[in-house]
Amino acid sequence: MHGLSRLGTGSNRSVSPSPPSSPRFRHGRYKNFAGGGGGVGRGGKQSAANKIVFVLISTVFRRKGVLLFAPLLYISGMLLYMGLLGFDVVSLKNAVVVVHRRSPPGSVYRSPQLFQKLWPYMEAESNATHNALMTAWNLKMHQGWKPCVNSIISKTGFSELPKSNGFLIIEANGGLNQQRLSICDAVAVAWLLNATLVIPIFHLNSVWRDSSKFGDIFDEGFFVHALRNHVNVVRELPEDVLQRFDYNISNIVNLRVKGWSSAAHYLQKVLPKLEAMGAVRIAPFSNRLAYSVPSNVQGVRCLSNFQALRFAEPIRTLADKMVERMVMNSSHTGGKYVSVHLRFEMDMVAFSCCEYDGGEEEKREMDIARERSWRGKFRRRGRVIRPGANRMDGKCPLTPLEVGLMLRGMGFDNNTSVFVAAGNIYKAEKYMAPLKQMFPLLETKDTLATPEELAPFKGHSSRLAALDYTVCLHSEVFVTTQGGNFPHFLMGHRRYLFGGHAKTIKPDKRKLALLFDSPHIRWETFRRQMKDMLRHSDVKGGELKKPSGSVYTFPMPDCMCKQTEAAANESSLSF
């Protein structure tokens, strides 16, 4: 006899347990390699290249003796078509043709030269009477949404918690928001299996190197209390259960669950073992639940993420002070400020395999950083590092200078208060200087809080990230520059708080690569392009979740209702 699960009893488990493939591989990540912003104005050249390649291949196939060269000719033609091969004849010297390789548009970091050209125009617009902060978002376009998590869960839930089928123990790994993902997915799985969740264990990550436990980052008591009507959560295993496993949780069977496993997989494979043994472990637990699950399971995810998980009291106290200081510093813009998640740490620059303007010294430093953190991964046979192609494809982290150029072009003047959320910026003195020049009212957690206030958090990257997260959460504009869990969770959280709109600038980095590589562009043209990008971010801010999307980034419609629908459910939001 199987125990009770949230989606039916043990007799109704006919769905295939095989987990779906990762969403990262279900949808192409490298669409239109030469497209996006890079293909503008080259239609004629590409058409001519197509004709040349066609003629060459036709000739080859008429002559059997050179058929072996057909693949080589085809590959060369495709490279020419994509603009990855190109040479300019520069001059003739003593009857010798001097040829230089032509860099494809957008493949070289020339942003400092662009800044030198455009800076006088920015200075002329300093202290402007109109700041984009006041009109960044078109309120008429936004649809009003309100949270209605509890009512979504209760549609197919139980009036009271049934008898537990056993204890679920998970191990969360990674940084702050990777841990957050694991915690919320674990709550959803515990609800699905009708299991008692043990407060998650945090794995000491080799990259983040933070020894913090759950209670050091999140308010443990509030978490247990907020979930009490939906999932039973305990701080540790009861004495009798520990005794059965000789007081060593390593003796509890560790189930190897594949990534992105479906709800049916948990019901068919995990639930029977949970019932048989009374306790199971799943470690590691990162990305172990599919994005696409029944709506009530999504509701539990949202309940845990947006309502049950709040930061520990020391973090909340200092973070609230920092937000207040940013609001005070922004009195000239009605308390509104911009926050930027700047991913320009040495490890991020090294991992991206992009080149900037540091020459041989930069290359040497990046090689050392890659070897230190990834030990041979980038030296494997067949691995080709192509910085220019990475830049054209929008994979390079934006420098502080590039963020400043973008924001000034969008209409944020030098009176704009800017908060930068970041780790240790690579060569900060050099790369942060132009951003401070463009935005004198710039703050980081190290300038916004005193050394004494920050002392208890030093050496704990997740706690420091929690301070950054809170200040970004309450900004009028949030700028994401490189992706990752931090901006994805923030965009969803801001949608949840701000009526369904993310209030986030997510730039088109392929287009930016081309614009930053245009030393002769006019300020008016650059500014028009940036304002178009801001409008595009505004439109995308209210996106609904697609079937393969993450509810943590897109909480509508799984965890939010239109205001007319939500009015009748407001009472369900209290605990």
Side-chain angles (χ1 to χ4, degrees):
M1 176 69 69
H2 290 295
L4 186 65
S5 73
R6 297 289 183 168
L7 294 188
T9 59
S11 61
N12 189 22
R13 301 174 187 166
S14 59
V15 184
S16 170
S18 300
S21 60
S22 165
R24 292 170 14 190
F25 303 113
R26 289 204 298 267
H27 303 284
R29 297 173 64 192
Y30 308 106
K31 298 177 182 177
N32 303 323
F33 180 77
V40 178
R42 299 193 303 181
K45 293 182 180 179
Q46 291 175 350
S47 178
N50 276 332
K51 292 178 181 178
I52 293 170
V53 172
F54 177 77
V55 171
L56 287 172
I57 292 177
S58 300
T59 304
V60 168
F61 274 95
R62 289 195 190 101
R63 298 180 178 275
K64 297 180 180 178
V66 290
L67 277 176
L68 292 176
F69 293 98
L72 180 61
L73 289 170
Y74 176 76
I75 293 170
S76 301
M78 290 305 296
L79 290 174
L80 282 166
Y81 174 78
M82 293 190 293
L84 300 180
L85 290 180
F87 299 91
D88 288 332
V89 178
V90 177
S91 61
L92 287 170
K93 293 183 179 179
N94 300 323
V96 177
V97 179
V98 179
V99 180
H100 292 279
R101 191 173 190 274
R102 182 178 71 242
S103 300
S107 64
V108 179
Y109 177 69
R110 294 194 177 97
S111 302
Q113 294 91 311
L114 181 65
F115 172 61
Q116 292 301 321
K117 179 182 185 299
L118 298 183
W119 173 242
Y121 300 97
M122 297 182 206
E123 276 195 302
E125 290 189 355
S126 295
N127 302 308
T129 55
H130 173 75
N131 190 316
L133 259 178
M134 311 311 292
T135 57
W137 316 118
N138 184 355
L139 298 178
K140 294 180 181 178
M141 295 173 56
H142 305 156
Q143 299 173 328
W145 292 79
K146 284 191 175 181
C148 56
V149 171
N150 288 43
S151 61
I152 292 172
I153 301 172
S154 64
K155 286 178 183 177
T156 53
F158 297 99
S159 57
E160 61 181 31
L161 290 179
K163 183 180 178 182
S164 173
N165 289 327
F167 293 89
L168 175 64
I169 303 153
I170 69 105
E171 185 176 290
N173 54 333
L176 172 68
N177 291 287
Q178 185 73 12
Q179 291 169 338
R180 194 181 192 105
L181 174 68
S182 298
I183 294 164
C184 297
D185 279 0
V187 172
V189 169
W191 183 90
L192 179 68
L193 302 179
N194 186 37
T196 298
L197 178 67
V198 180
I199 287 289
I201 300 165
F202 284 1
H203 172 69
L204 182 60
N205 186 275
S206 59
V207 176
W208 291 90
R209 303 181 184 91
D210 189 344
S211 60
S212 299
K213 295 180 173 57
F214 186 100
D216 297 322
I217 301 172
F218 300 105
D219 189 329
E220 196 171 279
F222 184 82
F223 180 72
V224 174
H225 179 77
L227 295 172
R228 70 192 186 282
N229 294 327
H230 304 281
V231 177
N232 190 26
V233 183
V234 296
R235 289 178 171 83
E236 57 186 23
L237 287 169
E239 177 74 16
D240 60 323
V241 177
L242 281 170
Q243 189 176 17
R244 281 168 45 204
F245 294 100
D246 296 328
Y247 296 92
N248 186 353
I249 64 168
S250 297
N251 293 331
I252 300 173
V253 64
N254 184 19
L255 304 180
R256 295 293 179 177
V257 177
K258 292 182 180 180
W260 315 106
S261 290
S262 65
H265 180 83
Y266 279 96
L267 292 173
Q268 294 184 21
K269 297 296 184 181
V270 177
L271 181 57
K273 293 180 180 178
L274 176 68
E275 294 168 337
M277 292 177 282
V280 295
R281 285 192 302 135
I282 304 178
F285 192 74
S286 177
N287 299 317
R288 288 302 184 269
L289 181 62
Y291 284 159
S292 181
V293 292
S295 61
N296 48 2
V297 181
Q298 299 284 38
V300 177
R301 274 174 156 166
C302 281
L303 174 68
S304 55
N305 182 47
F306 300 123
Q307 297 186 28
L309 269 185
R310 73 177 187 185
F311 293 124
E313 193 274 336
I315 295 174
R316 292 201 317 277
T317 300
L318 179 55
D320 288 346
K321 289 180 182 177
M322 292 167 67
V323 171
E324 288 175 8
R325 291 165 189 171
M326 281 303 301
V327 171
M328 289 177 62
N329 294 349
S330 311
S331 57
H332 44 279
T333 52
K336 296 178 179 181
Y337 60 93
V338 173
S339 63
V340 179
H341 183 224
L342 189 60
R343 297 306 313 271
F344 203 69
E345 305 93 343
M346 176 177 279
D347 281 352
M348 177 56 68
V349 175
F351 186 81
S352 72
C353 297
C354 295
E355 290 180 356
Y356 294 89
D357 57 355
E360 291 300 319
E361 180 185 355
E362 178 189 300
K363 291 180 181 178
R364 185 167 54 254
E365 289 175 344
M366 293 301 104
D367 286 340
I368 293 171
R370 281 191 283 267
E371 189 61 25
R372 180 182 62 243
S373 297
W374 294 283
R375 298 183 182 180
K377 176 178 179 178
F378 293 90
R379 293 186 291 103
R380 292 175 185 166
R381 183 178 297 177
R383 182 70 182 254
V384 179
I385 295 177
R386 300 170 59 201
N390 289 346
R391 180 168 297 281
M392 292 165 63
D393 205 26
K395 296 178 183 176
C396 292
L398 293 180
T399 63
L401 181 149
E402 291 173 325
V403 171
L405 280 171
M406 179 183 71
L407 289 175
R408 288 300 295 262
M410 288 177 173
F412 299 95
D413 62 31
N414 66 337
N415 279 325
T416 304
S417 295
V418 176
F419 176 80
V420 173
N424 295 320
I425 299 297
Y426 174 57
K427 293 191 174 179
E429 186 174 345
K430 169 187 174 181
Y431 283 107
M432 288 296 288
L435 180 60
K436 292 177 181 177
Q437 184 177 342
M438 286 182 272
F439 293 99
L441 302 178
L442 185 143
E443 302 279 2
T444 66
K445 54 181 169 288
D446 293 306
T447 62
L448 207 53
T450 67
E452 293 75 21
E453 288 174 324
L454 286 174
F457 305 95
K458 290 294 185 181
H460 299 284
S461 57
S462 290
R463 300 186 216 180
L464 291 170
L467 296 174
D468 279 341
Y469 186 97
T470 305
V471 181
C472 291
L473 182 65
H474 295 287
S475 63
E476 174 66 12
V477 175
F478 171 62
V479 182
T480 172
T481 63
Q482 188 59 18
N485 283 316
F486 187 98
H488 288 162
F489 270 84
L490 257 173
M491 283 190 283
H493 207 155
R494 288 165 65 81
R495 283 186 172 102
Y496 195 80
L497 289 181
F498 302 138
H501 191 267
K503 290 192 174 185
T504 297
I505 296 173
K506 189 177 180 182
D508 181 344
K509 294 204 292 180
R510 290 182 178 182
K511 185 174 182 179
L512 285 179
L514 286 172
L515 292 171
F516 292 151
D517 193 15
S518 305
H520 304 297
I521 193 170
R522 292 167 55 86
W523 171 241
E524 293 77 11
T525 304
F526 181 80
R527 188 172 53 182
R528 184 174 63 252
Q529 294 279 359
M530 293 298 97
K531 290 186 176 180
D532 285 345
M533 199 173 290
L534 176 59
R535 280 191 291 270
H536 182 71
S537 290
D538 189 14
V539 173
K540 300 288 281 185
E543 275 189 293
L544 302 183
K545 189 180 78 67
K546 297 181 176 71
S548 60
S550 168
V551 76
Y552 303 118
T553 307
F554 304 100
M556 305 99 72
D558 294 277
C559 306
M560 302 182 75
C561 307
K562 288 287 185 68
Q563 288 192 5
T564 52
E565 302 171 22
N569 299 319
E570 287 184 350
S571 60
S572 66
L573 296 176
S574 59
F575 291 109

